[in-house]
Amino acid sequence: MDLSKLTIAKARRALDLKEYSALELTDAYLKNIAARDPEIHAYLEVWEKQAREEAKAADETIAQGQAKALTGIPLAIKDNILIEGRIASSASKILENYVASYDATVIAKLKGSRAVFLGRTNMDEFAMGSSTENSAFGPTKNPIDTSRIPGGSSGGSAAAVAGAMAAAALGSDTGGSIRQPAAHTGLVGLKPTYGAVSRFGLMAMGSSLDQVGPLTKIVEDARILFEAIRGYDGNDSTSLPDSKGEAKKPRSIGVPRKFLESGVDKDLLDVFERTLESLRANGYEVKDIEMPTLPYGLAVYYIVMPAEASTNLARFDGIRYGLSIPAGSIGEVYARTRGQGFGPEVRRRILVGTFVLSAGYADAYYRKARAVRAAITDEFARAFTETDIIAVPTTPAPAFKFGEKTADPLAMYAEDIFSVPVNLAGVPAISVPCGSVAREGKDLPVGFQVIAPHGGEERLFSIGEDIEKTRH
Amino acid sequence: MSKKAIDVAALAKLARLEVSPEELEKLEEEIPSILAFVETIRKASAGTEHKGKGLRNVMRADEKPHESGIHTEKLLNAAPAREGDRIAVKQVISRKK
């Protein structure tokens, strides 16, 4: 079996035809991890023993003819998603030895279909970052060019799949953390509609923005994994009621041209335009649309997200779980534990969040940001009366080098310009590889991002498969 | 946008976060830059907060509690310090000396 080309769909057929067993498949991935991961560092921990047990259980299910879509499929799980009895650290010192007390809903669903969990993947600490350089346990390398970042924050999940060290992976996306690493490693990444996938058991960063979603080699796999994890959950107060979703095939593509002027690499934009041309040749109608509030998305995001993150991270105080630094008074226990447990970017965002929520500033920052967020949401709703889907590049540039953006937080934040408006509006979006650009003699992948209205994941899969046929 | 001086030490106290003097100096540069960037939203035309479709929050009914004590051990085991069936913490309220 050639793991570099293996997809969930192909593995399913082979497992059902007994070409190989789930245990053999899991062993093949474990072998690849042992060979490749010392260099890439996609995983923070590999669950070799448990994975083999899970694979054996999957083989029994397959033998009984009870296999579901993901039975026996080896997956990688981002380190901020809880699996009972296993460490979940969010790549933070503050949770370095934290053992999860319960299963996230997405994990319970995957266990129900007898999927195999290979390990937990590296990430930017508490999902704050776009490169995995903010992990407390060292960065992950991009398997396509190891001098470059794999994107983030789900960079470990992306590198695991791109490096043939997992068939597919789960990530989380608050402002682009699935789509951007997918784009940088040549994968498909889906940010589902807000509320489509349960957040129960996902460590919260920006609660009004977070979604769990798949990173996969092909669109078909993203659909399979999304179908397996979606659905109403009473444990998530913002979970959406189950609905069938609409099966409409998109025909028109809206491009917010003015927004694309916000500093995109010329050759990357050319790849994007050529993909649009191919889609037009395949019968899609491509038109310009006006979305004048979109350029404010990044600034709005960097108010709303730190505000929510600073609130969510208040729970890490050295009392109920995780690191606890002994001190003379309870106030000092809090301050020392948090000061020593959180890394620099997390501390920075907690402080910015504290500022924008503080009395005297909340109106000018947080409430104004909420109002502009509402305007962006309305703008998407208006745009979707004119067009079936919206297309923009996933990122303004291909994967960058280690250290290139670590000195300037704002340079790192700018990486998210095209992905954050999607989270602000709660709509679904997918990044699909559409070609490559050359940098220093290496071909680096480019992601084509498609955005649909709430509940429009089928539209994304439909056009995503058309993009796969027209890769440049 | 002009950069304004921010009292980062006061923010750190509010956020219950110990910050070293060297880091404080760095943050006093970085945080005003971040704020100067996000302040660009002042130019955006927007009405009031959204009331329509999009985000919704649903409270669950306060009923059907789980059996008492079934999660106690698991949750206490996650705590840094325990005394019997309680999480042990430093004294919270103290008499003025």
Side-chain angles (χ1 to χ4, degrees):
Chain A
M1 59 190 104
D2 178 4
L3 294 188
S4 68
K5 296 209 172 63
L6 192 64
T7 62
I8 295 177
K10 277 191 214 160
R12 174 82 275 127
R13 284 190 285 275
L15 288 169
D16 290 344
L17 290 169
K18 315 275 190 320
E19 286 173 18
Y20 44 75
S21 68
L23 183 60
E24 286 167 327
L25 181 62
T26 294
D27 280 337
Y29 278 109
L30 289 170
K31 205 174 143 203
N32 242 18
I33 293 169
R36 191 104 202 263
D37 209 41
E39 186 196 4
I40 302 293
H41 194 225
Y43 286 95
L44 290 174
E45 185 180 359
V46 179
W47 299 311
E48 196 175 325
K49 194 162 158 269
Q50 290 108 313
R52 300 185 82 241
E53 290 304 318
E54 288 157 2
K56 283 180 206 162
D59 278 327
E60 279 173 35
T61 305
I62 296 166
Q64 290 159 3
Q66 308 280 319
K68 296 180 186 166
L70 291 168
T71 305
I73 303 294
L75 304 174
I77 307 294
K78 190 174 179 179
D79 193 31
N80 60 353
I81 299 172
L82 306 191
I83 305 182
E84 188 179 343
R86 302 191 197 180
I87 290 178
S89 79
S90 261
S92 178
K93 290 275 181 209
I94 211 163
L95 290 176
E96 189 168 6
N97 300 308
Y98 171 70
V99 176
S101 309
Y102 64 97
D103 279 334
T105 299
V106 291
I107 293 299
K109 283 175 183 273
L110 292 176
K111 280 185 174 175
S113 52
R114 294 223 176 278
V116 173
F117 305 124
L118 291 168
R120 56 188 174 96
T121 54
N122 199 17
M123 55 187 278
D124 288 292
E125 184 179 0
F126 284 106
M128 298 183 188
S130 309
S131 67
T132 73
E133 289 168 296
N134 293 334
S135 167
F137 308 110
T140 297
K141 290 178 183 163
N142 190 328
I144 292 166
D145 177 350
T146 52
S147 71
R148 292 174 189 274
I149 58 98
S153 64
S154 312
S157 286
V161 181
M165 295 185 281
L170 286 189
S172 66
D173 190 316
T174 305
S177 282
I178 289 173
R179 289 160 287 155
Q180 184 256 17
H184 285 341
T185 56
L187 298 178
V188 174
L190 172 74
K191 199 293 282 185
T193 303
Y194 182 78
V197 177
S198 170
R199 293 181 292 114
F200 183 69
L202 168 71
M203 288 187 205
M205 170 161 68
S207 301
S208 74
L209 304 155
D210 299 338
Q211 269 293 282
V212 176
L215 289 112
T216 59
K217 286 210 184 78
I218 57 168
V219 173
E220 186 184 3
D221 285 0
R223 181 193 269 132
I224 293 169
L225 201 42
F226 171 65
E227 287 300 330
I229 60 173
R230 69 180 297 188
Y232 174 75
D233 180 12
N235 285 328
D236 174 352
S237 60
T238 56
S239 181
L240 291 171
D242 285 325
S243 67
K244 273 210 80 182
E246 35 98 271
K248 180 182 174 182
K249 199 165 163 42
R251 290 274 56 123
S252 57
I253 303 171
V255 182
R257 290 274 166 206
K258 268 220 135 38
F259 188 36
L260 299 189
E261 290 164 14
S262 359
V264 184
D265 282 7
K266 171 79 175 59
D267 53 352
L268 191 146
L269 197 56
D270 288 344
V271 173
F272 175 78
E273 294 290 352
R274 282 205 297 277
T275 305
L276 278 179
E277 268 316 306
S278 307
L279 289 168
R280 199 199 305 267
N282 276 310
Y284 285 90
E285 180 199 354
V286 180
K287 53 185 166 191
D288 292 0
I289 55 169
E290 295 281 330
M291 296 186 76
T293 318
L294 276 194
Y296 294 107
L298 193 63
V300 169
Y301 177 78
Y302 277 95
I303 292 173
V304 173
M305 176 273 301
E308 295 186 9
S310 69
T311 313
N312 277 322
L313 268 54
R315 74 193 63 182
F316 300 107
D317 55 9
I319 304 296
R320 285 167 298 165
Y321 27 63
L323 182 75
S324 187
I325 308 283
S329 72
I330 193 159
E332 285 170 305
V333 172
Y334 297 151
R336 286 203 190 151
T337 300
R338 291 161 62 75
Q340 293 176 37
F342 291 135
E345 178 63 20
V346 176
R347 293 203 291 272
R348 192 153 47 222
R349 293 199 196 184
I350 287 174
L351 292 170
V352 170
T354 305
F355 178 83
V356 299
L357 289 174
S358 59
Y361 294 105
D363 277 335
Y365 291 89
Y366 184 63
R367 291 197 185 87
K368 174 72 181 179
R370 299 244 320 179
V372 182
R373 178 182 189 174
I376 290 172
T377 308
D378 288 343
E379 207 161 271
F380 271 107
R382 234 180 358 259
F384 286 124
T385 63
E386 294 168 32
T387 181
D388 296 335
I389 57 108
I390 295 167
V392 288
T394 310
T395 61
F400 48 91
K401 296 228 164 175
F402 287 99
E404 205 177 309
K405 299 186 183 200
T406 40
D408 179 7
L410 286 171
M412 191 71 89
Y413 297 173
E415 179 77 0
D416 305 336
I417 177 103
F418 294 127
S419 52
V420 294
V422 167
N423 302 73
L424 292 172
V427 290
I430 199 167
S431 177
V432 181
C434 65
S436 61
V437 291
R439 292 287 181 280
E440 297 175 2
K442 291 248 168 133
D443 286 332
L444 303 177
V446 172
F448 188 95
Q449 183 178 211
V450 191
I451 307 165
H454 294 99
E457 278 84 354
E458 266 310 313
R459 293 189 197 185
L460 302 180
F461 299 138
S462 171
I463 186 171
E465 285 176 339
D466 286 338
I467 295 165
E468 280 178 334
K469 289 175 204 147
T470 66
R471 214 166 280 183
H472 290 277
Chain B
M1 291 281 160
S2 63
K3 279 210 243 172
K4 58 163 126 343
I6 304 284
D7 189 348
V8 179
L11 281 181
K13 209 173 163 201
L14 276 174
R16 297 187 151 151
L17 197 62
E18 195 176 73
V19 179
S20 71
E22 304 81 63
E23 193 182 4
L24 202 62
E25 207 174 302
K26 206 170 149 226
L27 288 165
E28 278 165 352
E29 280 295 310
E30 286 169 350
I31 290 181
S33 299
I34 293 169
L35 292 173
F37 166 68
V38 299
E39 273 169 21
T40 53
I41 64 162
R42 287 189 185 162
K43 288 183 280 173
S45 59
T48 49
E49 285 185 34
H50 206 57
K51 290 177 195 74
K53 205 181 156 186
L55 305 177
R56 50 197 275 289
N57 203 341
V58 183
M59 302 295 281
R60 118 184 125 70
D62 186 15
E63 58 187 16
K64 293 188 224 150
H66 58 72
E67 196 187 316
S68 177
I70 57 170
H71 301 304
T72 307
E73 269 313 300
K74 245 187 248 168
L75 295 175
L76 279 169
N77 284 340
R82 71 184 275 187
E83 267 176 34
D85 273 355
R86 292 184 289 275
I87 291 172
V89 299
K90 281 272 169 194
Q91 191 172 1
V92 176
I93 301 166
S94 56
R95 206 186 289 268
K96 263 190 184 156
K97 282 167 198 153

